[in-house]
Amino acid sequence: MSPTFPSYVTLDYDGGRDEDASNYPSLEDKISKAVAVTQQALEQYRRPAVMWTGGKDSTVVLYVVREVAAEMGVEVPPVVFIDHFEHFPETVAFVEQWADEWDLDLVVARNEDFVRLDASPGDEILLADLSETTRRELERLDYEADTLTLDADTFEGNHLLKTVAFNDVIEADGFDGIFSGVRWDEQESRADETFFSARHDSEKYPPHDRVHPILQFEEADIWDAFWEFIVPDAASGYPVGFVPESADDLPEGITATDLPISPKYFEGFRSLGTESGSAKSDDRPAWVQDLGASTERAGRAQDKEDLMGRLRDLGYM
């Protein structure tokens, strides 16, 4: 790993500390802050990238980055999609469709050790068949078994399939600033995040920064941004502010595939993780559900294991 973080970056890493969404009361306030953070990041970093899952939050971040980059007359940074082998097929198709539509430089991060073994989710793998690098990562987790079941929703699987794969790409491509779609309200372990978050410990990950332009957004704000800005900009003729009640409730001549919204949200999912570890919370589209009645990640298997603090210390989002 690169031993030091570049000295050309000079930032206030405390920005946003002790704040929450109430400090940004309107959607305009939230978007203005997202734009300011993004502009500063594009000015500071020489090799930024956008972490894009195909989910709603990272799509809002990607939209803001694309808009600010256009205003500044700079190229949109590369977009990194982490392939943990357990995505919904619709998620992969969505990412491919809109990467092409928006002419993105799409970088797919995978743990090549499991690609080499042609491994599939649920496979039991002998540690002896893994590379020295992967075994060393398991040692960091104090993993002592002789075999590993490949599952992105376990602590070990999440680290190997997501964090390690992402760190490999950061190091290989020399990314210095990573745009991420985390929000203060999304989970307790993210409530103390700042707009610029240093990841400079070379013993844990390639030194880089995380950039969090939408910390101040709440779930409802994310969907408001889609209907007010993202969807009308992407789908010609879509009326600004129109909120459909279903996939059948769209303006004439427009279908759900014309919208930069994963079809799983139309089906009732509010948060997208692995195919086996995600559950929809209602049969209605995500944005028409009672967003205050439950947490949006309640159906995510990884969160049920209460491991986010440990994972984030290892470099997870």
Side-chain angles (χ1 to χ4, degrees), residues 70-95:
E71 290 181 6
M72 295 176 63
V74 301
E75 291 186 0
V76 175
V79 173
V80 179
F81 176 73
I82 301 176
D83 181 8
H84 51 64
F85 311 123
E86 297 189 48
H87 286 290
F88 288 102
E90 295 93 332
T91 298
V92 176
F94 173 82
V95 166

Side-chain angles (χ1 to χ4, degrees), residues 227 231-232 235-256 258-259 266:
W227 305 121
V231 169
S236 178
Y238 193 96
V240 173
F242 176 74
V243 181
E245 296 291 320
S246 70
D248 297 323
D249 181 33
L250 290 171
E252 184 176 356
I254 294 177
T255 67
D258 297 322
L259 311 185
F266 275 97

Side-chain angles (χ1 to χ4, degrees), residues 29-43:
D29 293 329
K30 292 174 171 66
I31 290 175
S32 293
K33 183 61 178 180
V35 167
V37 170
T38 300
Q39 182 174 9
Q40 188 176 9
L42 293 178
E43 291 171 345

Side-chain angles (χ1 to χ4, degrees), residues 47 49-54 62 76-83 91-110 169 173 175:
R47 184 65 172 153
V50 181
M51 188 189 303
W52 188 37
T53 66
L62 178 57
V76 175
V79 173
V80 179
F81 176 73
I82 301 176
D83 181 8
T91 298
V92 176
F94 173 82
V95 166
E96 292 175 346
Q97 174 191 347
W98 288 95
D100 182 65
E101 181 79 20
W102 289 329
D103 194 25
L104 301 174
D105 177 8
L106 183 65
V107 178
V108 178
R110 297 185 180 95
V169 164
D173 289 64
F175 295 134

